[in-house]
Amino acid sequence: MKRKRTCSAFNSTVTATCSHLPDECWEFIFGLIINDDENRNKLRILNPLSLVSKQFLSVTDRLRFTLTVYEPSYLRRIFKRCTNLNSIQLASSFDSDKLLRIISRFPLKQLTSLILFYQPKIPTIGLRVFSQKITTLTSLNCSHIGCLNTSDLFLIAECFPLLQELDLSYPSGCKNYTSYVDGVEALSLALIKLRKVNLSEFPINNQSLYHLFNNCKHLEEVIILRCDEITSTGLASAIRERPTLRSLSFATTKVSEVFTTSQSIDSLVSLKGLTCLVLRNLNISDELLYSIAREGLLLTRLDLPFCSNYSYNGIFCLLSKCRRFQHLNLQYADFLNDQDVVQLSSFLGDLVSINLSHCDKLTESALFALLRNCPSLSEIEMESMGGESDIVWNSDSLRKSCVYPQLKGLYLGSNSWLSDEILIMVTSIFPNLQLLDLEFCNHISEGICEVLRKCCKIRLLNLAYCPRVKLHRMNFVVPKLEVLNLSDTKVDDETLYLISKNCSGLMTLQLRNCSGVTKKGWKCVLKNCRQLRKHECIIPSSLETTRTIYLWIYGRLLWLESERIQFCSQA
């Protein structure tokens, strides 16, 4: 009774304190808290605050700007509370036409973004009704649509003339490229304000691309990955029609030559405002890199993964002349060695992230050169470092190393030489590490517990395909961990008990092909990890049948207010 009275008195004090300040003050304070959070995880901050008082609930509702809709029963209550929503995403598990018709009945005056990805088809009836009621839409995401017809393009052009961003990437079942030409032209003529478009794996050819670049006068960012019908000549011709382009991403599924002729290179370097260039799986040349350097393009991002026919000379020329790079991806640049990275890192003072995965000649010397010379570096990817050879780390050098608090993300997957001892020493110099990816590191075992103890800010940990990994010594709280991937490991119920006890903030737990997990282990996780929101529950194949698991898990998680729960069974 005494404890109950104490809690009641505390709640009354909090409520009284809250009521002294107007909503505007609390809204400003909560905004500062959200902006101060490094991961900007609004749900993690807003949900606990909303439980303090009715006033806090009202304030936090006004700070919620996105919503994922699965079924319509609660929409009236949600829309009445959350009046500042600007983005809505529809789940693929419900009738999207019906949802859109219901949503259109509400006065969502600030709604600017609609996300429809992974739908079986474009909900044409619902979109038409939606567009008649809500005329403020500027962003439409229809990626990974199961069936996309050319008539859908005409519908989008007719219904949403104010679109500034459009994503039609990765549709299924589109084969006849010529049948989409008229639809793309209709889009390009209607969407006069279009700034950003993603047409990756979309059935687009040279003619359609030309229409897009020629008619969309405000186009700034174009993403066309895995588009095999676009040729080097066609791309160069389109680029010349849109000199204001600021970002270009292009790739094909088969290795092809792009920007190797003087004509095509000239078209690219004519883009004086270009800041982002992504070229994947292409044959390029040093001449392209020399030309970019000569023109002094203000690139801040360069991605050349899986590209060939360029060399250290070309990269050296570019990086030494253009020193504003913040993001650099040179995956599979197998010509790079440690000394090359030492030299190049001296030009990368503004670098924030770098990917040097599958560069077979690199060792830990390249890693530490980047850390020493790039003070802003927060993310490093060096998977499969050193190729098949074993790298021998200098333990004395590691112990004498400085601390690098700026590093937040470290990807060291597929490094079979990485042992517990090395891992502990390496991570000890990154006190603010938040993301650690060790996928396919075969020799990682109990050392990961010591890593979690020292790196207490880790939010995402990937240990998939680490057959020796053990978490039985995790007898301490891991307060910040939100995402944990243990797929294809020997995790068992005892491990799940420790996880549920010490990782209460977990939002995503992946356990594909974990035969040691039983229903008992899952019950323990579901009971103790109450922050499982907006997550994926991946059910291991050892747990009964798919339907039985679905009903059991759904019944246990119904009260969690989870925005998305995905059930996957393994054959």
Side-chain angles (χ1 to χ4, degrees):
M1 282 296 290
K2 183 177 180 181
R3 182 179 179 184
K4 188 173 183 180
R5 284 197 301 268
T6 302
C7 292
S8 177
F10 173 75
N11 290 334
S12 299
T13 302
V14 170
T15 303
T17 303
C18 294
S19 63
H20 288 164
L21 290 176
D23 287 358
E24 291 75 12
C25 290
W26 285 117
E27 190 170 334
F28 178 75
I29 293 170
F30 293 170
L32 291 177
I33 296 173
I34 293 170
N35 292 332
D36 190 55
D37 182 55
E38 292 173 334
N39 279 46
R40 304 293 171 89
N41 193 331
K42 294 183 66 173
L43 277 180
R44 189 181 182 92
I45 296 171
L46 292 179
N47 287 340
L49 289 173
S50 66
L51 300 175
V52 174
S53 67
K54 289 184 178 180
Q55 184 187 18
F56 276 22
L57 174 62
S58 174
V59 173
T60 54
D61 282 342
R62 290 199 296 274
L63 292 173
R64 297 178 192 270
F65 303 116
T66 63
L67 175 69
T68 302
V69 179
Y70 284 85
E71 54 93 17
S73 62
Y74 59 87
L75 286 181
R76 182 177 298 278
R77 184 173 72 253
I78 290 293
F79 289 148
K80 184 178 180 180
R81 286 171 41 193
C82 305
T83 57
N84 292 330
L85 289 175
N86 56 31
S87 178
I88 290 180
Q89 174 185 330
L90 300 192
S92 58
S93 57
F94 199 82
D95 185 345
S96 297
D97 277 307
K98 183 177 180 180
L99 278 179
L100 286 171
R101 291 198 299 270
I102 295 173
I103 291 171
S104 66
R105 299 171 188 167
F106 298 93
L108 302 173
K109 298 180 180 180
Q110 299 188 49
L111 191 67
T112 58
S113 174
L114 180 63
I115 302 173
L116 301 173
F117 52 54
Y118 289 101
Q119 300 290 326
K121 62 183 181 67
I122 295 289
T124 54
I125 298 174
L127 275 182
R128 190 175 294 279
V129 174
F130 179 90
S131 66
Q132 292 169 355
K133 299 290 185 178
I134 298 177
T135 59
T136 54
L137 209 67
T138 59
S139 176
L140 178 63
N141 186 331
C142 296
S143 65
H144 297 87
I145 294 293
C147 180
L148 183 66
N149 300 312
T150 188
S151 58
D152 297 328
L153 307 185
F154 284 98
L155 175 72
I156 293 172
E158 176 187 350
C159 293
F160 304 107
L162 300 181
L163 284 182
Q164 298 179 29
E165 299 182 6
L166 177 63
D167 191 337
L168 297 174
S169 59
Y170 305 104
S172 302
C174 303
K175 296 181 180 179
N176 188 355
Y177 284 69
T178 57
S179 66
Y180 290 86
V181 172
D182 291 341
V184 173
E185 184 176 14
L187 281 175
S188 67
L189 291 171
L191 308 183
I192 58 175
K193 295 187 176 183
L194 193 66
R195 295 186 298 102
K196 177 181 178 180
V197 64
N198 188 344
L199 296 176
S200 298
E201 276 195 26
F202 181 86
I204 188 170
N205 57 18
N206 290 339
Q207 184 180 359
S208 296
L209 189 67
Y210 182 86
H211 288 320
L212 189 69
F213 279 55
N214 181 56
N215 295 330
C216 298
K217 307 300 183 184
H218 298 284
L219 199 60
E220 295 180 350
E221 181 176 347
V222 176
I223 304 173
I224 38 178
L225 304 177
R226 301 173 65 85
C227 294
D228 292 339
E229 293 297 311
I230 296 177
T231 65
S232 178
T233 303
L235 182 59
S237 176
I239 286 175
R240 283 192 289 271
E241 299 300 318
R242 190 51 44 229
T244 56
L245 208 62
R246 299 175 62 84
S247 177
L248 175 65
S249 302
F250 180 72
T252 58
T253 58
K254 51 191 177 184
V255 178
S256 58
E257 293 189 354
V258 176
F259 301 123
T260 55
T261 66
S262 58
Q263 182 184 19
S264 60
I265 291 175
D266 289 345
S267 68
L268 182 66
V269 298
S270 69
L271 303 175
K272 304 304 181 184
L274 193 69
T275 59
C276 172
L277 179 62
V278 178
L279 303 175
R280 298 181 182 175
N281 199 36
L282 302 172
N283 280 332
I284 60 174
S285 64
D286 282 339
E287 185 56 39
L288 170 63
L289 305 180
Y290 295 150
S291 298
I292 295 175
R294 282 195 298 268
E295 291 297 324
L297 297 186
L298 302 179
L299 287 177
T300 59
R301 182 185 189 99
L302 178 66
D303 283 22
L304 299 176
F306 306 98
C307 287
S308 56
N309 286 352
Y310 72 104
S311 70
Y312 173 73
N313 292 334
I315 285 293
F316 178 87
C317 178
L318 176 58
L319 298 187
S320 62
K321 296 289 180 64
C322 304
R323 302 197 179 191
R324 297 191 179 189
F325 284 103
Q326 297 178 10
H327 308 279
L328 186 62
N329 186 339
L330 299 177
Q331 283 186 80
Y332 289 93
D334 51 14
F335 54 81
L336 286 177
N337 59 38
D338 288 342
Q339 189 55 44
D340 294 337
V341 175
V342 170
Q343 183 66 56
L344 295 177
S345 64
S346 64
F347 308 134
L348 299 171
D350 294 336
L351 196 66
V352 175
S353 69
I354 188 168
N355 190 337
L356 295 176
S357 297
H358 303 281
C359 295
D360 294 346
K361 298 177 183 178
L362 300 185
T363 69
E364 80 280 5
S365 298
L367 173 64
F368 287 107
L370 290 167
L371 291 168
R372 286 193 305 270
N373 296 329
C374 306
S376 300
L377 191 59
S378 64
E379 183 175 289
I380 297 177
E381 295 187 48
M382 295 187 73
E383 298 178 348
S384 192
M385 183 167 44
E388 297 297 325
S389 60
D390 286 337
I391 295 178
V392 180
W393 286 63
N394 188 325
S395 300
D396 292 335
S397 298
L398 274 173
R399 292 189 182 96
K400 296 176 183 178
S401 295
C402 299
V403 174
Y404 299 96
Q406 77 274 17
L407 195 78
K408 306 292 178 59
L410 184 61
Y411 297 78
L412 292 176
S414 300
N415 284 310
S416 58
W417 45 264
L418 192 60
S419 65
D420 282 345
E421 180 185 6
I422 295 173
L423 179 64
I424 292 170
M425 287 190 292
V426 169
T427 53
S428 66
I429 63 176
F430 306 130
N432 294 325
L433 198 63
Q434 296 182 16
L435 185 154
L436 181 60
D437 191 330
L438 301 172
E439 188 176 59
F440 287 104
C441 289
N442 300 329
H443 297 295
I444 299 299
S445 182
E446 295 179 345
I448 192 63
C449 293
E450 186 63 24
V451 171
L452 288 172
R453 188 190 299 273
K454 291 183 177 181
C455 301
C456 57
K457 295 185 179 182
I458 286 183
R459 294 176 182 267
L460 187 152
L461 178 62
N462 186 0
L463 298 172
Y465 305 98
C466 297
R468 302 183 185 182
V469 73
K470 296 179 181 179
L471 295 171
H472 292 162
R473 293 186 179 180
M474 193 175 66
N475 55 355
F476 52 90
V477 174
V478 186
K480 298 290 185 70
L481 191 64
E482 297 175 355
V483 179
L484 177 60
N485 189 347
L486 292 170
S487 299
D488 285 88
T489 63
K490 296 180 181 179
V491 63
D492 54 17
D493 287 348
E494 182 182 352
T495 305
L496 285 189
Y497 170 75
L498 291 172
I499 290 171
S500 68
K501 182 180 178 183
N502 298 304
C503 308
S504 60
L506 207 61
M507 294 182 179
T508 300
L509 178 60
Q510 299 187 11
L511 295 170
R512 285 194 183 95
N513 299 327
C514 295
S515 57
V517 174
T518 69
K519 189 173 181 178
K520 178 182 176 182
W522 265 102
K523 280 185 176 181
C524 188
V525 172
L526 295 173
K527 179 181 178 181
N528 296 328
C529 295
R530 298 191 177 187
Q531 296 300 318
L532 284 169
R533 291 189 175 109
K534 203 172 183 179
H535 68 293
E536 295 179 350
C537 287
I538 299 180
I539 310 303
S541 57
S542 59
L543 294 185
E544 307 177 13
T545 65
T546 304
R547 180 171 177 79
T548 303
I549 296 164
Y550 176 86
L551 294 174
W552 174 68
I553 296 292
Y554 183 80
R556 293 292 293 165
L557 291 180
L558 186 62
W559 59 278
L560 286 177
E561 298 183 26
S562 177
E563 288 189 41
R564 179 166 61 93
I565 304 169
Q566 178 179 350
F567 301 89
C568 304
S569 62
Q570 302 295 319

